[in-house]
Amino acid sequence: MKLKGNAWKFGADIDTDAIIPARYLNTSEPSELAKHCMEDSKQPDFIRTMKKGDIIVADKNFGCGSSREHAPIAIKAAGVSCVVAKTFARIFYRNSFNMGLPIFECPEAVDGITQGDAIAVDAEKGIIKNLTTNKTYQAAAIPPFMQELIAAGGLMEWVKKKVA
Amino acid sequence: MPMTVTEKILAFHCGKKEVAPGELINAKVDVVLANDITAPISIKEFRKAGAKKVFDKTRIVLVPDHFTPNKDIQSAEQSKLLREFAKEHGLTNYFEVGRMGIEHALLPEQGLAVSGDVIVGADSHTCTYGGLGAFATGVGSTDVAAAMITGEIWFKVPESIKFVYYGKLRKWVSGKDLILHTIGDIGVDGALYKAMEFTGEVIDRMDMSGRLTMANMAIEAGGKNGIIAPDDTTREYESGRAKRRPKFYKSDKKAIYAAVREYDCSRLEPQVACPHLPENTKGVSELSHINIHQSVVGSCTNGRIEDLRIAAKVLKGRKVHPDVRMIIIPATQAIYKQAMKEGLFNIFIDAQAAVSTPTCGPCLGGHMGILAKGERSIATTNRNFVGRMGHPESEVYLANPAIAAASAVLGRIGSPEELK
């Protein structure tokens, strides 16, 4: 899978309340959640100005806080192609794999990307290319079991095969 | 091989003699939990997978607690989904309004979470049950859907960090202050992916309420779980309450830890976490210039009877400051009844505080105490992120119940020692 878009830079410890505020959690409809994606972050206009395929690039501990799967759902439904961060909070990391939002851990890429840079990502190889600066970065390898989940088509498909 | 308490519980649940950090396991779960925000997605995924029945109708707990009693039509629709799913599958542990409580206060109280369990919940504060010596961790809705079907979940066995608390706590200092101080020390990702094991003489002397508070906020340091090895205090708490037989595990003396952190608590003053991260902790005495508009005592962190007693002790014979709204939320129906029986509500109402039926409510900015732009609340809750309790330009300061109550009277952040 080749992903391509412009970078939106966010800081450290972006919490799930910034990604999708709890006041909108009276629904789990992806298109409704997407309307409020990153609304309480430092870039509240994100959803109105981002383009389909754009990439969120964030510092450490992205997605900390709540276990709400609504957070990766909102990001994916907004049209964000992937998230690159220095590190991810544990539950967000797990949720993203489960519901199919590509995420990459790569501190060097985060430091080497500025807002608006054109980015291309080879999802299988974890290669992140900054087309604006012409620099290439290698994301941390996806753990083998996670790769198995992805190959199966997500957690529920993997479970279906197991119980079948 | 010596093991930690976390490793022992996980080893038992995957049928192995031993496990080591980093190892990938498939563990049997004792309880699977979800609430009115997270269960709707789990139910959707459950149906999408074509599942016909849950693995065990006595081990799935559904608690509509976040936006209940339902605040609007959409949240009512979400609760309805849970209700119908519970009926359809004959779930024995669905807790309706009037019979419920905030999930993480309710499960220990009802003896549904016991020592030695593996518990997963689609709520990040599921880690609370570590206070009983269970391995409990928050996961997403899809993970819960899978666990509802299979009764299992995959984990990477976490490394453990050992926290040792020495000394004798000063007056008004509690489990909340220790965990806030610890998060302030290691940061909001200081225990990322790791087990936080709380030990030491202070923990040995701590009541179950304080232990549950500490384990509850392990997630605020990024932890996978928080855990306290069960002891006589645990035994006493679970006696007559546990619905299944508790199993006591403790760490081996030679167990391996990723790190050990020690704290001398004798001089620790009550802690307050300033906006907008739980790691921004300061001693209460440094914040006496901060005026407040609201004070909340409640939540899965500090809404137990012991917390209400402390608030009542501070509020007795006093009045909430004219510029402050104080909201007190007993975490479960049983706590509500007990507080009423002990006369705590008289104290609260005479002090001009509002008392609410159990709900997560304002803790996550749901309802029952939302802040306007520029407003500031002190709260016994667990998160102070931007917009957590309302407007993105409002602020939340996290503290223990004594500080929240004293601040409500003072109209600014302060301690009971400052009250006349």
Side-chain angles (χ1 to χ4, degrees), chain B residues 197-240:
Chain B
E197 189 175 326
F198 306 114
T199 70
E201 55 184 358
V202 177
I203 305 296
D204 295 342
R205 286 195 296 264
M206 191 177 282
D207 66 6
M208 191 46 67
S209 175
R211 294 180 183 189
L212 292 166
T213 300
M214 288 193 70
N216 172 274
M217 288 190 73
I219 179 68
E220 262 54 72
K224 184 170 200 156
N225 66 312
I227 196 159
I228 294 169
D231 58 7
D232 287 343
T233 302
T234 321
R235 203 181 314 276
E236 198 181 319
Y237 179 85
E238 293 189 314
S239 153

Side-chain angles (χ1 to χ4, degrees), chain B residues 139-360:
Chain B
V139 295
S141 297
T142 303
D143 270 317
V144 153
M148 287 199 304
I149 299 169
T150 63
E152 291 181 356
I153 191 159
W154 70 268
F155 289 121
K156 195 160 90 178
V157 178
E159 290 183 304
S160 294
I161 304 177
K162 185 177 181 176
F163 297 87
V164 193
Y165 301 90
Y166 297 109
K168 190 167 178 283
L169 296 185
R170 284 165 56 179
K171 199 174 178 190
W172 309 117
V173 175
S174 65
K176 180 65 164 284
D177 304 291
L178 295 191
I179 190 66
L180 287 177
H181 181 66
T182 304
I183 297 164
D185 176 41
I186 67 172
V188 291
D189 60 348
L192 193 56
Y193 299 103
K194 296 191 172 68
M196 299 174 79
E197 189 175 326
F198 306 114
T199 70
E201 55 184 358
V202 177
I203 305 296
D204 295 342
R205 286 195 296 264
M206 191 177 282
D207 66 6
M208 191 46 67
S209 175
R211 294 180 183 189
L212 292 166
T213 300
M214 288 193 70
N216 172 274
M217 288 190 73
I219 179 68
E220 262 54 72
K224 184 170 200 156
N225 66 312
I227 196 159
I228 294 169
D231 58 7
D232 287 343
T233 302
T234 321
R235 203 181 314 276
E236 198 181 319
Y237 179 85
E238 293 189 314
S239 153
R241 190 191 296 269
K243 296 280 195 298
R244 285 170 287 110
R245 211 167 67 83
K247 275 197 166 166
F248 282 26
Y249 295 94
K250 61 177 183 183
S251 295
D252 292 321
K253 283 210 173 67
K254 289 189 174 164
I256 294 160
Y257 294 93
V260 178
R261 297 197 75 83
E262 304 189 10
Y263 301 96
D264 177 5
C265 306
S266 298
R267 289 166 65 191
L268 188 74
E269 66 165 326
Q271 299 288 296
V272 178
C274 303
H276 289 286
L277 282 177
E279 71 183 25
N280 297 334
T281 51
K282 287 194 168 132
V284 65
S285 62
E286 297 172 67
L287 295 165
S288 52
H289 58 288
I290 307 284
N291 290 332
I292 57 156
H293 307 95
Q294 180 165 294
S295 170
V296 176
V297 171
S299 84
C300 59
T301 312
N302 280 120
R304 280 173 284 273
I305 189 68
E306 292 82 355
D307 301 308
L308 302 189
R309 285 178 189 139
I310 292 168
K313 204 166 162 186
V314 175
L315 291 173
K316 192 169 184 183
R318 298 194 168 97
K319 291 253 184 297
V320 169
H321 190 278
D323 298 336
V324 177
R325 293 99 57 182
M326 182 166 199
I327 300 163
I328 299 174
I329 311 175
T332 69
Q333 288 291 102
I335 296 167
Y336 193 99
K337 193 174 171 189
Q338 182 64 26
M340 200 160 65
K341 207 170 117 189
E342 292 180 20
L344 306 188
F345 287 179
N346 287 336
I347 296 171
F348 296 152
I349 290 165
D350 287 345
Q352 300 179 335
V355 181
S356 156
T357 195
T359 180
C360 303

